[in-house]
Amino acid sequence: MEPTTRSLIHGKQIFTTNCIGCHGLRGDGKGPAAYFINNPAPRNFTDRSQQLYFSDGELYDAILFGVDGTAMPAW
């Protein structure tokens, strides 16, 4: 899916509302709640190796359904 101005604005709103607490303002996994979450720590979206390890579909699935055994909830 190609990004549009509308989808980018909507994605930013969703990230700001639901994700910053753990993943941080920069998406680096250093949000205020990250101190309390480990094994695994919140994903660092700025790490290129992390971006290449998971497909877009796998990331979408993690957001939609959460990740069992981690602090990542379903959104």
Side-chain angles (χ1 to χ4, degrees), residues 1 10 16 18-19 24 27 29 32 35 39 52 55 59 61 66-67 74:
M1 173 193 260
H10 187 231
T16 300
N18 300 325
C19 309
Y35 176 79
N39 203 21
L52 297 173
S55 70
L59 293 172
D61 188 73
V67 180

Side-chain angles (χ1 to χ4, degrees), residues 1 51 53-66:
M1 173 193 260
Q51 295 171 8
Y53 189 77
F54 295 99
S55 70
D56 291 346
E58 289 171 312
L59 293 172
Y60 179 78
D61 188 73
I63 294 165
L64 191 61
F65 299 109

Side-chain angles (χ1 to χ4, degrees), residues 10-46:
H10 187 231
K12 183 177 181 178
Q13 290 172 330
I14 291 170
F15 189 83
T16 300
T17 302
N18 300 325
C19 309
I20 284 178
C22 298
H23 296 285
L25 285 170
R26 294 185 199 98
D28 58 6
K30 296 181 181 175
Y35 176 79
F36 304 101
I37 302 170
N38 56 27
N39 203 21
R43 186 156 318 282
N44 176 356
F45 300 122
T46 65

